[in-house]
Amino acid sequence: MTPSKLVILGTGGTIAGLSSSATDNIGYTAAQVGVAQLVEAIPALLAGGAVVTEQVAQLDSKDMDFAVWAALASRINDFLAQTDVCGIVITHGTDTLEETAFFLQAVCQPAKPVVLTCAMRPASALTPDGPQNVLDAAAVARHPGAQGVVVVCAGTIHGAIDVQKAHTYRLNAFTPGDAGPVGYVEEGCVRQLRDWPAGSGSGDHLAAVASGTATSWPQVEIVMSHAGARGKVVDALVSSGVQGIVVAATGNGTVHHALEQALLRAQAAGVQVRRSTRCAEGHVLPRPDDAIPDSKGLSPVKARIALMLELMGWPGTR
Ligand code: SIN
């Protein structure tokens, strides 16, 4: 029998936010409405089969933390192991959504679709965008052949590795950069443009993390290279016991000489260092004589997660 049960996990965000005025789209409090109540307001969701909801967290995603990530990975693996479940939708704030998506793809590599969705306007808005986003996300989660972790916002399907929040206010706040979208959702139908993210389905790419039993997460920090940069911040991090540093470098991975010297000292002292870029688009292109390894196309925030996971024994993204 084709699985048709859809699981919707709530974590908070603007999609669950409330404002005292229907015309105020910025002065709201995120994470106020429960996921069950959000889903009840979208009866069309039930047309495709049974829907189960679970509130995994209730927070503004700026405050996202490792415990919530571990709980999400664990619940995803539990639900996807059920043969009647077709896929999972996760309601999430937009601000760190790309980090959660990357983390879940790295750790779970789900063989069924796991679809993060969100809203730029609170639930109390005159015209909230959340309900349509959830409906579109459900269409992807129920789409035969879909797999891996994707993000659905404003009718566009983005892959977890590439997606980035690119706008502070517009409803289509996300971009997949050079990679382009995985596809679009149009009137409940998926129009696929490229492959879904990898979905090995083993579910335990990092068993301790995926089961929620990991107790200590490595300290990995991000520093930015900019005009007048100094090495003091790196020296202070090394003194504090940092295990990894990602530098958000300029252009194609260049680093201010003062910061670079400090990063090389950190590397020599055993700290893992990676070079990403401040540029919103493009990858740092590696050269054979690079003293500091590049981030393999990952943005600074994703390179940080990848390095944390690597330090925990994870084999790598690509
Ligand atoms: C959040 O990220 O939780 C708040 C902002 C948003 O969802 O747009």
Side-chain angles (χ1 to χ4, degrees):
M1 206 182 67
T2 315
S4 63
K5 193 203 279 178
L6 178 68
V7 175
I8 306 188
L9 305 178
T11 70
T14 295
I15 191 167
L18 291 177
S19 164
S20 56
S21 156
T23 54
D24 185 354
N25 291 314
I26 55 169
Y28 58 87
T29 307
Q32 300 300 300
V33 184
V35 66
Q37 199 181 330
L38 289 177
V39 165
E40 256 170 45
I42 318 169
L45 273 175
L46 297 172
V51 175
V52 172
T53 61
E54 186 172 300
Q55 195 78 48
V56 175
Q58 185 66 301
L59 46 71
D60 185 319
S61 81
K62 72 179 173 58
D63 298 324
M64 185 51 68
D65 62 27
F66 303 146
V68 175
W69 280 355
L72 272 176
S74 170
R75 294 310 284 144
I76 285 169
N77 287 342
D78 292 346
F79 278 117
L80 292 189
Q82 297 175 16
T83 51
D84 58 343
V85 169
C86 60
I88 296 178
V89 169
I90 302 172
T91 56
H92 197 290
T94 60
D95 286 341
T96 59
L97 182 141
E98 69 212 58
E99 295 177 55
T100 301
F102 178 83
F103 171 83
L104 294 175
Q105 174 63 23
V107 167
C108 301
Q109 282 216 0
K112 296 177 188 176
V114 171
V115 188
L116 283 94
T117 195
C118 54
M120 289 297 285
R121 291 181 182 157
S124 52
L126 203 53
T127 53
D129 51 330
Q132 185 65 53
N133 283 344
V134 173
L135 207 50
D136 289 348
V140 176
R142 286 173 164 147
H143 185 69
Q147 65 172 33
V149 179
V150 292
V151 169
V152 168
C153 181
T156 306
I157 309 167
H158 305 277
I161 307 283
D162 313 296
V163 67
Q164 270 189 280
K165 186 171 180 182
H167 204 281
T168 55
Y169 184 71
R170 283 190 203 134
L171 302 190
N172 61 342
F174 290 88
T175 174
D178 294 346
V182 172
Y184 297 105
V185 186
E186 296 159 339
E187 296 297 299
C189 295
V190 171
R191 178 158 62 94
Q192 193 183 341
L193 301 180
R194 63 181 181 93
D195 288 347
W196 298 102
S200 67
S202 70
D204 60 354
H205 273 248
L206 209 53
V209 176
S211 63
T213 55
T215 48
S216 71
W217 296 65
Q219 189 195 345
V220 178
E221 305 292 348
I222 300 172
V223 298
M224 186 180 277
S225 188
H226 49 78
R230 292 181 304 163
K232 281 186 175 175
V233 64
V234 170
D235 296 336
L237 286 172
V238 174
S239 302
S240 80
V242 76
Q243 289 154 278
I245 299 176
V246 173
V247 56
T250 38
N252 185 33
T254 52
V255 180
H256 186 288
H257 66 89
L259 190 60
E260 188 171 35
Q261 289 311 309
L263 289 169
L264 291 171
R265 281 197 300 277
Q267 204 169 238
V271 176
Q272 292 291 321
V273 183
R274 300 287 182 270
R275 270 178 320 123
S276 181
T277 178
R278 308 182 340 182
C279 292
E281 302 216 354
H283 293 182
V284 173
L285 301 174
R287 289 169 46 90
D289 57 349
D290 282 338
I292 299 176
D294 66 279
S295 66
K296 300 199 164 44
L298 297 175
S299 65
V301 289
K302 290 181 182 176
R304 172 179 173 266
I305 297 166
L307 184 48
M308 263 179 9
L309 294 177
E310 260 175 69
L311 289 165
M312 295 171 91
W314 175 66
T317 18
R318 299 170 187 239

